[in-house]
């Protein structure tokens, strides 16, 4: 293993920095009365090497262009990250004693409320996928030379999302990505699977095509030499497999089980730990020299309006296809837009964007967790990622969506093949819970366009909206309802049928909107007038129009959706108007569906025109 050629004085400085990181981690968690000091202590030498010798960054400006990126995947070791930035001079060390308090952004696990955090971590197995996105941005989109470092725990390396990221990073030859696994042997409740079998770790990572280096994670020259070798390695990513000890430097907790997530009690125990660490400080160090990032030109991108859609009223087009057309057009007018897809690009139509903008399109393969994490990394780099797959398969990545919401990330999700209307593929492919999933997350905008024009316009709105957006796209072709000049503001709706004598308001979106229009014609022929609302914006919702319509139709609302009954369009409407005493009747899919023809499934599961007519007649009788 190569070792660093730094002088003894410089090595002494880094040793002392690591010791100070341990001391501050102990002190802050003891004062807080909670936290993970033992996990911080195992990683302190690695963090000191990165922050005070290896990484290029501006200690006073974490967002400086072209800075090297650091992702703390083992987010429970947040105190050592906070201590590193305080040691670098970003904020006073006294602030560390506010750890885990309501008045401080130094939370128990890192979130982007802090300027030096790109993505919230703490749900383990997510840091490396985020690092993949940061590295993809540097290598293929911005073409800059910053490097990305991801510090992981050995326990979390069991997560499947880690190995998704390992595969994709190798596939894209991300030689600007360096993972570090802090192999401290002890998990929360038991030793880890491999404990300190470092050869087993090396074999696994090497087998996945990574440059795998086994090091002593407490030997500073060895750590530095490994990082230098990683920077020289081309065409594949590098992993440093660092053998460490939990609680390193504190005799009564070092390598002892049952210290995970436990602070050292204030008083004599805390003082004993601090005294032991203080005795390890060495004289004759020199001030560290933190490398600065190379200068890169920074210019505001030129973003133009999206050209009007070319659809005519009466054309037949699937909203998933309209998404692909809009995404391709958006790529030409907004250079910040990037796209990721999970090996279904010929079904989501994102392949249109990929063929035209290959350096901004990333095939995620069948690895949805990594795809979402990588999108988070790209969003943290200032890009606007559109992530598409079948709606049902977003369930595999839901924890990543949850963490993206906590991060207030600027990701746009597009779920296709929704509901029973996809037909013969059967229930495993039918997104029937996606509206509930997405609407449950804070800050998420949920949109459900019914025709090609609406989808086209909402793709542009999604790109311009700051924050998470979910667009629901259908598989079957449907008639175009709106002309090219129609606008669809987020939070709005469209009144498609209305009269002064309406007995009921029908609220629908997607395929059921067309069923509602069929039902309208049948009801009108029988002498029953109803109004029909296209509720294309589920979150935020057009409460004003819903209340006005309910008032005009005797307090009666009927919702119809190609979605399970819980948490979808109907519940969104109920939440909007229920406090006003308005009764909402809901038609939705209430059983696990079967394969079949789309039309027969829509009818069979009670969301077609026949069921709407029957429900209306029952309500208004």
């Amino acid at each position: 293993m190569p070792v660093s050629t730094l002088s003894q004085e410089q090595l002494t400085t880094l040793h002392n920095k690591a010791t100070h990181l341990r001391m501050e981690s102990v002190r802050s968690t003891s004062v807080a009365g909670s936290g993970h000091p033992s996990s911080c202590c195992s990683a302190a030498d690695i963090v000191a090497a990165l922050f005070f010798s290896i990484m290029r960054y501006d200690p006073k400006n974490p967002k400086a262009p072209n800075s090297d990126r650091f992702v703390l995947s083992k987010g429970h070791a947040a105190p050592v990250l906070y201590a590193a930035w305080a040691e670098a001079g970003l904020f006073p060390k006294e602030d560390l004693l506010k750890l885990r308090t309501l008045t401080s952004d130094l939370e128990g696990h890192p979130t982007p409320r802090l300027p030096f955090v790109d993505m919230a971590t703490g749900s383990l197995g997510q840091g490396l996928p985020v690092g993949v996105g940061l590295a993809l941005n540097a290598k293929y989109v911005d073409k800059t030379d910053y490097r990305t470092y991801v510090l992981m725990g050995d326990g979390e390396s069991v997560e499947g999302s880690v190995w998704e990221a390992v595969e994709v990073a190798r596939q894209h030859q991300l030689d600007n990505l360096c993972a570090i696994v802090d192999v401290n042997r002890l998990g929360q409740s038991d030793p880890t699977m491999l404990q300190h079998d470092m050869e087993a770790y090396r074999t696994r990572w090497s087998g996945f095509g990574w440059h795998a280096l086994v090091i002593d994670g407490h030997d500073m020259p060895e750590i530095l030499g490994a990082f230098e070798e990683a920077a020289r390695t081309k065409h594949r990513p590098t992993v440093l497999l660092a053998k460490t000890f939990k609680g390193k430097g504190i005799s009564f907790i070092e390598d002892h089980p049952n210290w995970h997530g436990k602070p050292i009690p204030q008083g004599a125990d805390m003082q004993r730990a601090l005294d032991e660490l203080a005795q390890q400080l060495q004289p004759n160090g020199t001030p560290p020299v933190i490398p600065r990032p190379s200068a890169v030109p920074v210019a505001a991108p030129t973003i133009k309006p999206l050209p009007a859609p070319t659809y005519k009223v009466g054309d037949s087009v699937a909203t998933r296809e309209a998404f692909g057309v809009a995404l391709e057009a958006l790529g030409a007018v907004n250079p910040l837009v990037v796209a990721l897809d999970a090996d279904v690009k010929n079904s989501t139509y994102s392949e249109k964007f990929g063929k035209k903008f290959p350096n901004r399109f990333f095939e995620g393969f069948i690895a949805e967790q990594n795809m979402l994490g990588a999108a988070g990394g790209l969003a943290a780099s200032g890009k606007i990622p559109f992530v598409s797959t079948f709606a049902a398969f977003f369930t595999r990545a839901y924890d990543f969506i949850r963490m993206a919401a906590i991060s207030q990330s600027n990701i746009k999700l597009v779920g296709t093949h929704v509901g029973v209307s996809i037909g013969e593929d059967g229930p495993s492919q039918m997104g029937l819970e996606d509206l509930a999933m997405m609407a449950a997350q804070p800050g998420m905008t949920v949109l459900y366009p019914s025709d090609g024009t609406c989808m086209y316009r909402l793709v542009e709105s999604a790109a311009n909206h700051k924050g998470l957006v979910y667009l629901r796209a259908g598989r079957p072709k449907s008639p175009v309802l709106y002309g090219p000049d129609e606008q669809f503001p987020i939070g709005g709706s469209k009144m498609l049928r209305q009269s002064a004598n309406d007995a009921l308001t029908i609220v629908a979106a997607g395929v059921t909107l067309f069923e509602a229009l069929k039902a309208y014609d049948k009801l009108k022929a029988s002498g029953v007038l109803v109004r029909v609302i296209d509720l294309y914006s589920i979150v935020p919702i057009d409460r004003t129009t819903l209340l006005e319509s309910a008032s005009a139709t005797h307090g009666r609302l009927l919702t119809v959706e190609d979605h399970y009954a819980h948490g979808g369009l109907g519940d969104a409407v109920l939440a909007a108007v229920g406090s006003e005493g308005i009764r909402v009747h809901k038609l939705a899919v209430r059983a696990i569906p079967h394969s079949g023809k789309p039309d027969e499934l829509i009818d069979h599961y009670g969301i077609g025109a026949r069921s709407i007519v029957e429900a209306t007649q029952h309500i208004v009788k």
Side-chain angles (χ1 to χ4, degrees), residues 574-593:
L574 179 60
V577 304
S579 62
E580 304 301 319
I582 296 165
R583 188 173 181 186
V584 177
H585 306 263
K586 298 191 297 182
L587 295 180
V589 179
R590 297 180 182 272
I592 297 173

mmCIF file with all atom_site columns, all heavy atoms in Angstrom, residues 574-593:
data_model
loop_
_atom_site.group_PDB
_atom_site.id
_atom_site.type_symbol
_atom_site.label_atom_id
_atom_site.label_alt_id
_atom_site.label_comp_id
_atom_site.label_asym_id
_atom_site.label_entity_id
_atom_site.label_seq_id
_atom_site.pdbx_PDB_ins_code
_atom_site.Cartn_x
_atom_site.Cartn_y
_atom_site.Cartn_z
_atom_site.occupancy
_atom_site.B_iso_or_equiv
_atom_site.pdbx_formal_charge
_atom_site.auth_seq_id
_atom_site.auth_comp_id
_atom_site.auth_asym_id
_atom_site.auth_atom_id
_atom_site.pdbx_PDB_model_num
ATOM 1   N N   . LEU A 1 574 ? -61.747 15.010 -0.438  1.00 0.00 ? 574 LEU A N   1
ATOM 2   C CA  . LEU A 1 574 ? -62.383 14.970 0.875   1.00 0.00 ? 574 LEU A CA  1
ATOM 3   C C   . LEU A 1 574 ? -61.647 15.850 1.873   1.00 0.00 ? 574 LEU A C   1
ATOM 4   O O   . LEU A 1 574 ? -62.255 16.586 2.652   1.00 0.00 ? 574 LEU A O   1
ATOM 5   C CB  . LEU A 1 574 ? -62.436 13.530 1.373   1.00 0.00 ? 574 LEU A CB  1
ATOM 6   C CG  . LEU A 1 574 ? -63.056 13.313 2.754   1.00 0.00 ? 574 LEU A CG  1
ATOM 7   C CD1 . LEU A 1 574 ? -64.505 13.793 2.791   1.00 0.00 ? 574 LEU A CD1 1
ATOM 8   C CD2 . LEU A 1 574 ? -62.968 11.846 3.156   1.00 0.00 ? 574 LEU A CD2 1
ATOM 9   N N   . ALA A 1 575 ? -60.322 15.785 1.854   1.00 0.00 ? 575 ALA A N   1
ATOM 10  C CA  . ALA A 1 575 ? -59.533 16.614 2.766   1.00 0.00 ? 575 ALA A CA  1
ATOM 11  C C   . ALA A 1 575 ? -59.725 18.094 2.485   1.00 0.00 ? 575 ALA A C   1
ATOM 12  O O   . ALA A 1 575 ? -59.680 18.915 3.402   1.00 0.00 ? 575 ALA A O   1
ATOM 13  C CB  . ALA A 1 575 ? -58.051 16.250 2.646   1.00 0.00 ? 575 ALA A CB  1
ATOM 14  N N   . ALA A 1 576 ? -59.962 18.436 1.219   1.00 0.00 ? 576 ALA A N   1
ATOM 15  C CA  . ALA A 1 576 ? -60.120 19.841 0.838   1.00 0.00 ? 576 ALA A CA  1
ATOM 16  C C   . ALA A 1 576 ? -61.468 20.410 1.253   1.00 0.00 ? 576 ALA A C   1
ATOM 17  O O   . ALA A 1 576 ? -61.559 21.593 1.593   1.00 0.00 ? 576 ALA A O   1
ATOM 18  C CB  . ALA A 1 576 ? -59.927 19.995 -0.669  1.00 0.00 ? 576 ALA A CB  1
ATOM 19  N N   . VAL A 1 577 ? -62.511 19.597 1.214   1.00 0.00 ? 577 VAL A N   1
ATOM 20  C CA  . VAL A 1 577 ? -63.863 20.141 1.416   1.00 0.00 ? 577 VAL A CA  1
ATOM 21  C C   . VAL A 1 577 ? -64.590 19.548 2.617   1.00 0.00 ? 577 VAL A C   1
ATOM 22  O O   . VAL A 1 577 ? -65.650 20.039 3.009   1.00 0.00 ? 577 VAL A O   1
ATOM 23  C CB  . VAL A 1 577 ? -64.728 19.925 0.151   1.00 0.00 ? 577 VAL A CB  1
ATOM 24  C CG1 . VAL A 1 577 ? -64.059 20.540 -1.070  1.00 0.00 ? 577 VAL A CG1 1
ATOM 25  C CG2 . VAL A 1 577 ? -65.008 18.440 -0.091  1.00 0.00 ? 577 VAL A CG2 1
ATOM 26  N N   . GLY A 1 578 ? -64.045 18.504 3.206   1.00 0.00 ? 578 GLY A N   1
ATOM 27  C CA  . GLY A 1 578 ? -64.756 17.803 4.268   1.00 0.00 ? 578 GLY A CA  1
ATOM 28  C C   . GLY A 1 578 ? -65.067 18.671 5.472   1.00 0.00 ? 578 GLY A C   1
ATOM 29  O O   . GLY A 1 578 ? -66.100 18.483 6.135   1.00 0.00 ? 578 GLY A O   1
ATOM 30  N N   . SER A 1 579 ? -64.206 19.621 5.772   1.00 0.00 ? 579 SER A N   1
ATOM 31  C CA  . SER A 1 579 ? -64.434 20.480 6.939   1.00 0.00 ? 579 SER A CA  1
ATOM 32  C C   . SER A 1 579 ? -65.654 21.374 6.764   1.00 0.00 ? 579 SER A C   1
ATOM 33  O O   . SER A 1 579 ? -66.148 21.949 7.742   1.00 0.00 ? 579 SER A O   1
ATOM 34  C CB  . SER A 1 579 ? -63.193 21.342 7.198   1.00 0.00 ? 579 SER A CB  1
ATOM 35  O OG  . SER A 1 579 ? -62.943 22.190 6.092   1.00 0.00 ? 579 SER A OG  1
ATOM 36  N N   . GLU A 1 580 ? -66.143 21.504 5.532   1.00 0.00 ? 580 GLU A N   1
ATOM 37  C CA  . GLU A 1 580 ? -67.313 22.341 5.256   1.00 0.00 ? 580 GLU A CA  1
ATOM 38  C C   . GLU A 1 580 ? -68.602 21.530 5.262   1.00 0.00 ? 580 GLU A C   1
ATOM 39  O O   . GLU A 1 580 ? -69.659 22.032 4.858   1.00 0.00 ? 580 GLU A O   1
ATOM 40  C CB  . GLU A 1 580 ? -67.153 23.029 3.898   1.00 0.00 ? 580 GLU A CB  1
ATOM 41  C CG  . GLU A 1 580 ? -65.873 23.845 3.766   1.00 0.00 ? 580 GLU A CG  1
ATOM 42  C CD  . GLU A 1 580 ? -65.767 24.935 4.815   1.00 0.00 ? 580 GLU A CD  1
ATOM 43  O OE1 . GLU A 1 580 ? -66.797 25.583 5.101   1.00 0.00 ? 580 GLU A OE1 1
ATOM 44  O OE2 . GLU A 1 580 ? -64.658 25.112 5.357   1.00 0.00 ? 580 GLU A OE2 1
ATOM 45  N N   . GLY A 1 581 ? -68.515 20.276 5.684   1.00 0.00 ? 581 GLY A N   1
ATOM 46  C CA  . GLY A 1 581 ? -69.713 19.442 5.774   1.00 0.00 ? 581 GLY A CA  1
ATOM 47  C C   . GLY A 1 581 ? -70.178 18.883 4.449   1.00 0.00 ? 581 GLY A C   1
ATOM 48  O O   . GLY A 1 581 ? -71.303 18.392 4.337   1.00 0.00 ? 581 GLY A O   1
ATOM 49  N N   . ILE A 1 582 ? -69.328 18.914 3.438   1.00 0.00 ? 582 ILE A N   1
ATOM 50  C CA  . ILE A 1 582 ? -69.686 18.421 2.111   1.00 0.00 ? 582 ILE A CA  1
ATOM 51  C C   . ILE A 1 582 ? -69.432 16.926 2.058   1.00 0.00 ? 582 ILE A C   1
ATOM 52  O O   . ILE A 1 582 ? -68.377 16.449 2.479   1.00 0.00 ? 582 ILE A O   1
ATOM 53  C CB  . ILE A 1 582 ? -68.891 19.151 1.023   1.00 0.00 ? 582 ILE A CB  1
ATOM 54  C CG1 . ILE A 1 582 ? -69.277 20.636 1.027   1.00 0.00 ? 582 ILE A CG1 1
ATOM 55  C CG2 . ILE A 1 582 ? -69.112 18.533 -0.351  1.00 0.00 ? 582 ILE A CG2 1
ATOM 56  C CD1 . ILE A 1 582 ? -68.343 21.520 0.262   1.00 0.00 ? 582 ILE A CD1 1
ATOM 57  N N   . ARG A 1 583 ? -70.382 16.200 1.516   1.00 0.00 ? 583 ARG A N   1
ATOM 58  C CA  . ARG A 1 583 ? -70.249 14.756 1.422   1.00 0.00 ? 583 ARG A CA  1
ATOM 59  C C   . ARG A 1 583 ? -69.573 14.387 0.105   1.00 0.00 ? 583 ARG A C   1
ATOM 60  O O   . ARG A 1 583 ? -69.964 14.862 -0.960  1.00 0.00 ? 583 ARG A O   1
ATOM 61  C CB  . ARG A 1 583 ? -71.611 14.084 1.516   1.00 0.00 ? 583 ARG A CB  1
ATOM 62  C CG  . ARG A 1 583 ? -71.517 12.569 1.613   1.00 0.00 ? 583 ARG A CG  1
ATOM 63  C CD  . ARG A 1 583 ? -72.860 11.942 1.883   1.00 0.00 ? 583 ARG A CD  1
ATOM 64  N NE  . ARG A 1 583 ? -72.732 10.493 1.993   1.00 0.00 ? 583 ARG A NE  1
ATOM 65  C CZ  . ARG A 1 583 ? -73.769 9.659  2.123   1.00 0.00 ? 583 ARG A CZ  1
ATOM 66  N NH1 . ARG A 1 583 ? -75.015 10.163 2.171   1.00 0.00 ? 583 ARG A NH1 1
ATOM 67  N NH2 . ARG A 1 583 ? -73.584 8.362  2.217   1.00 0.00 ? 583 ARG A NH2 1
ATOM 68  N N   . VAL A 1 584 ? -68.536 13.559 0.204   1.00 0.00 ? 584 VAL A N   1
ATOM 69  C CA  . VAL A 1 584 ? -67.810 13.113 -0.976  1.00 0.00 ? 584 VAL A CA  1
ATOM 70  C C   . VAL A 1 584 ? -68.043 11.628 -1.167  1.00 0.00 ? 584 VAL A C   1
ATOM 71  O O   . VAL A 1 584 ? -67.771 10.825 -0.273  1.00 0.00 ? 584 VAL A O   1
ATOM 72  C CB  . VAL A 1 584 ? -66.295 13.401 -0.837  1.00 0.00 ? 584 VAL A CB  1
ATOM 73  C CG1 . VAL A 1 584 ? -65.538 12.871 -2.047  1.00 0.00 ? 584 VAL A CG1 1
ATOM 74  C CG2 . VAL A 1 584 ? -66.056 14.901 -0.665  1.00 0.00 ? 584 VAL A CG2 1
ATOM 75  N N   . HIS A 1 585 ? -68.574 11.260 -2.332  1.00 0.00 ? 585 HIS A N   1
ATOM 76  C CA  . HIS A 1 585 ? -68.764 9.857  -2.702  1.00 0.00 ? 585 HIS A CA  1
ATOM 77  C C   . HIS A 1 585 ? -67.586 9.449  -3.591  1.00 0.00 ? 585 HIS A C   1
ATOM 78  O O   . HIS A 1 585 ? -67.221 10.185 -4.511  1.00 0.00 ? 585 HIS A O   1
ATOM 79  C CB  . HIS A 1 585 ? -70.084 9.665  -3.449  1.00 0.00 ? 585 HIS A CB  1
ATOM 80  C CG  . HIS A 1 585 ? -71.282 10.208 -2.711  1.00 0.00 ? 585 HIS A CG  1
ATOM 81  N ND1 . HIS A 1 585 ? -72.105 9.425  -1.933  1.00 0.00 ? 585 HIS A ND1 1
ATOM 82  C CD2 . HIS A 1 585 ? -71.781 11.479 -2.627  1.00 0.00 ? 585 HIS A CD2 1
ATOM 83  C CE1 . HIS A 1 585 ? -73.060 10.172 -1.405  1.00 0.00 ? 585 HIS A CE1 1
ATOM 84  N NE2 . HIS A 1 585 ? -72.883 11.432 -1.818  1.00 0.00 ? 585 HIS A NE2 1
ATOM 85  N N   . LYS A 1 586 ? -67.038 8.276  -3.353  1.00 0.00 ? 586 LYS A N   1
ATOM 86  C CA  . LYS A 1 586 ? -65.808 7.889  -4.051  1.00 0.00 ? 586 LYS A CA  1
ATOM 87  C C   . LYS A 1 586 ? -66.001 6.594  -4.832  1.00 0.00 ? 586 LYS A C   1
ATOM 88  O O   . LYS A 1 586 ? -66.444 5.583  -4.281  1.00 0.00 ? 586 LYS A O   1
ATOM 89  C CB  . LYS A 1 586 ? -64.658 7.703  -3.055  1.00 0.00 ? 586 LYS A CB  1
ATOM 90  C CG  . LYS A 1 586 ? -64.277 8.958  -2.289  1.00 0.00 ? 586 LYS A CG  1
ATOM 91  C CD  . LYS A 1 586 ? -62.963 8.774  -1.530  1.00 0.00 ? 586 LYS A CD  1
ATOM 92  C CE  . LYS A 1 586 ? -63.073 7.692  -0.478  1.00 0.00 ? 586 LYS A CE  1
ATOM 93  N NZ  . LYS A 1 586 ? -61.803 7.551  0.290   1.00 0.00 ? 586 LYS A NZ  1
ATOM 94  N N   . LEU A 1 587 ? -65.635 6.644  -6.103  1.00 0.00 ? 587 LEU A N   1
ATOM 95  C CA  . LEU A 1 587 ? -65.492 5.442  -6.911  1.00 0.00 ? 587 LEU A CA  1
ATOM 96  C C   . LEU A 1 587 ? -64.004 5.221  -7.139  1.00 0.00 ? 587 LEU A C   1
ATOM 97  O O   . LEU A 1 587 ? -63.291 6.121  -7.597  1.00 0.00 ? 587 LEU A O   1
ATOM 98  C CB  . LEU A 1 587 ? -66.207 5.584  -8.256  1.00 0.00 ? 587 LEU A CB  1
ATOM 99  C CG  . LEU A 1 587 ? -67.728 5.715  -8.226  1.00 0.00 ? 587 LEU A CG  1
ATOM 100 C CD1 . LEU A 1 587 ? -68.273 5.843  -9.649  1.00 0.00 ? 587 LEU A CD1 1
ATOM 101 C CD2 . LEU A 1 587 ? -68.369 4.521  -7.528  1.00 0.00 ? 587 LEU A CD2 1
ATOM 102 N N   . ALA A 1 588 ? -63.526 4.035  -6.801  1.00 0.00 ? 588 ALA A N   1
ATOM 103 C CA  . ALA A 1 588 ? -62.108 3.723  -6.919  1.00 0.00 ? 588 ALA A CA  1
ATOM 104 C C   . ALA A 1 588 ? -61.960 2.215  -7.042  1.00 0.00 ? 588 ALA A C   1
ATOM 105 O O   . ALA A 1 588 ? -62.937 1.458  -6.914  1.00 0.00 ? 588 ALA A O   1
ATOM 106 C CB  . ALA A 1 588 ? -61.350 4.246  -5.702  1.00 0.00 ? 588 ALA A CB  1
ATOM 107 N N   . VAL A 1 589 ? -60.756 1.766  -7.279  1.00 0.00 ? 589 VAL A N   1
ATOM 108 C CA  . VAL A 1 589 ? -60.479 0.328  -7.374  1.00 0.00 ? 589 VAL A CA  1
ATOM 109 C C   . VAL A 1 589 ? -60.412 -0.223 -5.956  1.00 0.00 ? 589 VAL A C   1
ATOM 110 O O   . VAL A 1 589 ? -59.574 0.199  -5.156  1.00 0.00 ? 589 VAL A O   1
ATOM 111 C CB  . VAL A 1 589 ? -59.163 0.076  -8.127  1.00 0.00 ? 589 VAL A CB  1
ATOM 112 C CG1 . VAL A 1 589 ? -58.864 -1.413 -8.196  1.00 0.00 ? 589 VAL A CG1 1
ATOM 113 C CG2 . VAL A 1 589 ? -59.226 0.675  -9.526  1.00 0.00 ? 589 VAL A CG2 1
ATOM 114 N N   . ARG A 1 590 ? -61.255 -1.180 -5.647  1.00 0.00 ? 590 ARG A N   1
ATOM 115 C CA  . ARG A 1 590 ? -61.373 -1.674 -4.279  1.00 0.00 ? 590 ARG A CA  1
ATOM 116 C C   . ARG A 1 590 ? -61.034 -3.160 -4.147  1.00 0.00 ? 590 ARG A C   1
ATOM 117 O O   . ARG A 1 590 ? -61.384 -3.795 -3.156  1.00 0.00 ? 590 ARG A O   1
ATOM 118 C CB  . ARG A 1 590 ? -62.782 -1.406 -3.753  1.00 0.00 ? 590 ARG A CB  1
ATOM 119 C CG  . ARG A 1 590 ? -63.103 0.088  -3.677  1.00 0.00 ? 590 ARG A CG  1
ATOM 120 C CD  . ARG A 1 590 ? -64.485 0.377  -3.150  1.00 0.00 ? 590 ARG A CD  1
ATOM 121 N NE  . ARG A 1 590 ? -64.765 1.811  -3.137  1.00 0.00 ? 590 ARG A NE  1
ATOM 122 C CZ  . ARG A 1 590 ? -64.471 2.623  -2.127  1.00 0.00 ? 590 ARG A CZ  1
ATOM 123 N NH1 . ARG A 1 590 ? -63.886 2.131  -1.044  1.00 0.00 ? 590 ARG A NH1 1
ATOM 124 N NH2 . ARG A 1 590 ? -64.759 3.912  -2.198  1.00 0.00 ? 590 ARG A NH2 1
ATOM 125 N N   . ALA A 1 591 ? -60.331 -3.693 -5.125  1.00 0.00 ? 591 ALA A N   1
ATOM 126 C CA  . ALA A 1 591 ? -59.885 -5.086 -5.052  1.00 0.00 ? 591 ALA A CA  1
ATOM 127 C C   . ALA A 1 591 ? -58.573 -5.209 -5.812  1.00 0.00 ? 591 ALA A C   1
ATOM 128 O O   . ALA A 1 591 ? -58.241 -4.352 -6.634  1.00 0.00 ? 591 ALA A O   1
ATOM 129 C CB  . ALA A 1 591 ? -60.939 -6.023 -5.658  1.00 0.00 ? 591 ALA A CB  1
ATOM 130 N N   . ILE A 1 592 ? -57.818 -6.265 -5.520  1.00 0.00 ? 592 ILE A N   1
ATOM 131 C CA  . ILE A 1 592 ? -56.606 -6.513 -6.290  1.00 0.00 ? 592 ILE A CA  1
ATOM 132 C C   . ILE A 1 592 ? -57.030 -6.901 -7.700  1.00 0.00 ? 592 ILE A C   1
ATOM 133 O O   . ILE A 1 592 ? -57.756 -7.882 -7.888  1.00 0.00 ? 592 ILE A O   1
ATOM 134 C CB  . ILE A 1 592 ? -55.763 -7.617 -5.648  1.00 0.00 ? 592 ILE A CB  1
ATOM 135 C CG1 . ILE A 1 592 ? -55.306 -7.182 -4.255  1.00 0.00 ? 592 ILE A CG1 1
ATOM 136 C CG2 . ILE A 1 592 ? -54.559 -7.940 -6.528  1.00 0.00 ? 592 ILE A CG2 1
ATOM 137 C CD1 . ILE A 1 592 ? -54.611 -8.268 -3.469  1.00 0.00 ? 592 ILE A CD1 1
ATOM 138 N N   . PRO A 1 593 ? -56.609 -6.150 -8.703  1.00 0.00 ? 593 PRO A N   1
ATOM 139 C CA  . PRO A 1 593 ? -57.131 -6.377 -10.064 1.00 0.00 ? 593 PRO A CA  1
ATOM 140 C C   . PRO A 1 593 ? -56.605 -7.667 -10.694 1.00 0.00 ? 593 PRO A C   1
ATOM 141 O O   . PRO A 1 593 ? -55.702 -8.335 -10.186 1.00 0.00 ? 593 PRO A O   1
ATOM 142 C CB  . PRO A 1 593 ? -56.643 -5.149 -10.843 1.00 0.00 ? 593 PRO A CB  1
ATOM 143 C CG  . PRO A 1 593 ? -56.195 -4.173 -9.820  1.00 0.00 ? 593 PRO A CG  1
ATOM 144 C CD  . PRO A 1 593 ? -55.741 -4.973 -8.643  1.00 0.00 ? 593 PRO A CD  1
#
